[in-house]
Amino acid sequence: MAQWSSDLLTWYHAHKRAMPWRTTPSPYRIWVSEIMLQQTQVDTVIPYFNRFLRTFPSIKKLAQADTQDVLKAWEGLGYYSRARNLQKAALQITQTGGRIPRNFEDLQTLPGIGPYCAAAIASIAFGEPVPVVDGNVFRVFTRFWGIHDDITKPATRSVLFSRLSPHVKNHNPADFNQAIMELGALVCRPTNPDCTNCPLKPRCIARKNKLTGILPVKKKKASTPHHAIGVGIIWKKDTLLIARRADNKMLGGLWEFPGGKQEPRETLRETVLREVREETALEVSIGDCYQPIKHTYSHFSITMTAYDCTYTAGRISRKGRPPCKWVHAKKLSDFPFPTANKKLIDQIWSRHLSAVGS
């Protein structure tokens, strides 16, 4: 048994944070937490996790829920395919006996569960001695072992998986894996790592050779594109028009206001008129604009400019177009919207709510 792994576990038991899925663990709670924690910080996840578990306290409840309710519970957490896959997996589980698979391989047959998530669930919920390899683990052990391979390459993940496999078998797998992740989150941070208080410092190659600013090696991402978006807030008396995004698209199943990307040599007002016509077959007149909203997604960013619009003519055409509905302004909060649209709703309420009645 390596001394560093014992030191790591000692540190973990003294410093681990209290988290609801740790305080009252169960396979279902651990599974939900791991899905939420993908690309999201712990502090952000905790309130969402607590609300989600109150709304869907069991796999059966989640499987039986209306997908719109699931998306509403997830609203603001981002990466909404996680929520859709979580429910698909719950439905698959209920149709095959009602229990979450207990091992690393079988867990990967569920929608939304890849090698990392499967390893986390298998080890934490069921004690299977399989190592997790996520961003925190990459950072800790490329530094500890002085690995200069690009962590974006699958081969590097395989190297770490193989090197960690014999160590996880010598300890409680749940504690071992969570200890590494906790160390990466609290001590071996991306910048300004707290090497002085790290239990691995006596044997850390990066610390000895002043490489913590270099490791891990990660290929730089290409610059992300930016899009100007024009959106129409279409009014018909006290109601306005919203459209539901297709399930197979980004932000699938969420609702939004009609609009889209500005095309070359097109004003944003022209964008709104064109997009509204294409999406709904309606004709509108355009009024005042709202404060532009900037938002960044994983692969691109947007500046969204919305305009109050008045319905003037036409009927909503369903053929080849997204589902639409007229909704009273006060009822917008009943529907799941992307974050940028939620910011826009706040502006709509501020501008109009006192005028549209109850």
Side-chain angles (χ1 to χ4, degrees):
M1 186 181 299
Q3 182 61 46
W4 66 259
S5 61
S6 297
D7 293 341
L8 174 65
L9 268 295
T10 299
W11 174 88
Y12 173 67
H13 290 303
H15 296 91
K16 65 179 178 180
R17 292 169 290 179
M19 301 175 187
W21 49 90
R22 286 178 179 169
T23 305
T24 53
S26 73
Y28 175 57
R29 291 168 67 86
I30 291 166
W31 169 37
V32 172
S33 73
E34 289 300 331
I35 297 299
M36 287 187 169
L37 287 165
Q38 293 174 8
Q39 299 176 297
T40 309
Q41 296 293 321
V42 167
D43 290 344
T44 300
V45 163
I46 287 176
Y48 279 95
F49 175 86
N50 289 332
R51 287 195 298 269
F52 196 89
L53 266 292
R54 286 196 298 268
T55 307
F56 311 110
S58 68
I59 295 174
K60 185 177 180 180
K61 289 287 187 181
L62 177 58
Q64 294 175 340
D66 187 306
T67 301
Q68 287 289 292
D69 292 334
V70 176
L71 291 172
K72 183 64 179 175
W74 203 273
E75 186 181 46
L77 196 55
Y79 301 98
Y80 290 90
S81 61
R82 296 181 296 174
R84 295 193 299 274
N85 283 330
L86 191 65
Q87 187 180 35
K88 288 177 184 176
L91 184 60
Q92 183 173 317
I93 290 168
T94 59
Q95 292 172 340
T96 55
R99 291 190 177 184
I100 299 174
R102 297 178 63 88
N103 64 70
F104 176 65
E105 297 297 336
D106 290 345
L107 280 162
Q108 292 180 70
T109 65
L110 295 176
I113 296 185
Y116 159 73
C117 194
I121 298 168
S123 61
I124 299 170
F126 303 114
E128 183 177 1
V130 57
V132 297
V133 182
D134 73 339
N136 284 323
V137 178
F138 273 124
R139 187 166 57 256
V140 170
F141 283 101
T142 56
R143 288 171 173 173
F144 182 64
W145 282 321
I147 297 173
H148 287 258
D149 298 333
D150 183 352
I151 64 171
T152 65
K153 295 182 178 180
T156 308
R157 180 191 177 279
S158 297
V159 167
L160 286 177
F161 189 91
S162 297
R163 291 190 67 169
L164 287 168
S165 289
H167 296 286
V168 72
K169 294 175 182 177
N170 291 326
H171 300 279
N172 178 302
D175 287 349
F176 182 82
N177 282 333
Q178 289 183 97
I180 301 171
M181 293 187 284
E182 200 79 331
L183 187 71
L186 300 180
V187 175
C188 195
R189 300 181 294 257
T191 58
N192 300 317
D194 185 12
C195 295
T196 301
N197 294 308
C198 179
L200 304 185
K201 67 180 180 182
R203 298 167 184 82
C204 179
I205 291 176
R207 178 177 178 270
K208 289 179 180 178
N209 296 287
K210 303 186 186 308
L211 297 173
T212 55
I214 296 173
L215 298 176
V217 174
K218 185 177 182 180
K219 182 181 178 181
K220 290 185 178 180
K221 292 183 178 179
S223 59
T224 57
H226 180 268
H227 304 296
I229 306 294
V231 170
I233 309 302
I234 306 171
W235 292 88
K236 186 168 72 170
K237 296 184 178 179
D238 291 345
T239 64
L240 41 76
L241 191 67
I242 60 175
R244 185 166 64 82
R245 293 183 62 84
D247 290 338
N248 61 351
K249 290 186 176 181
M250 179 181 172
L251 305 174
L254 301 185
W255 293 81
E256 63 182 1
F257 302 100
K261 297 177 186 176
Q262 182 182 31
E263 293 185 350
R265 297 180 296 278
E266 182 180 61
T267 69
L268 282 169
R269 289 174 176 267
E270 290 170 339
T271 299
V272 172
L273 289 173
R274 174 181 54 77
E275 288 285 345
V276 168
R277 192 177 298 118
E278 291 175 357
E279 291 184 23
T280 69
L282 297 181
E283 297 296 330
V284 299
S285 62
I286 297 183
D288 294 335
C289 72
Y290 291 83
Q291 182 69 31
I293 293 169
K294 297 182 183 294
H295 191 71
T296 301
Y297 296 94
S298 57
H299 301 298
F300 64 94
S301 62
I302 65 168
T303 299
M304 182 174 71
T305 304
Y307 295 82
D308 269 331
C309 299
T310 303
Y311 162 76
T312 58
R315 296 181 62 183
I316 296 174
S317 173
R318 304 290 187 187
K319 188 175 181 181
R321 293 179 171 90
C324 298
K325 60 173 60 182
W326 294 99
V327 178
H328 193 283
K330 284 191 173 181
K331 298 294 183 180
L332 290 173
S333 58
D334 293 344
F335 298 84
F337 282 90
T339 298
N341 278 253
K342 284 176 64 65
K343 294 177 182 177
L344 179 55
I345 289 171
D346 288 339
Q347 292 192 44
I348 294 169
W349 284 343
S350 178
R351 178 182 291 187
H352 292 285
L353 205 54
S354 62
V356 299
S358 58

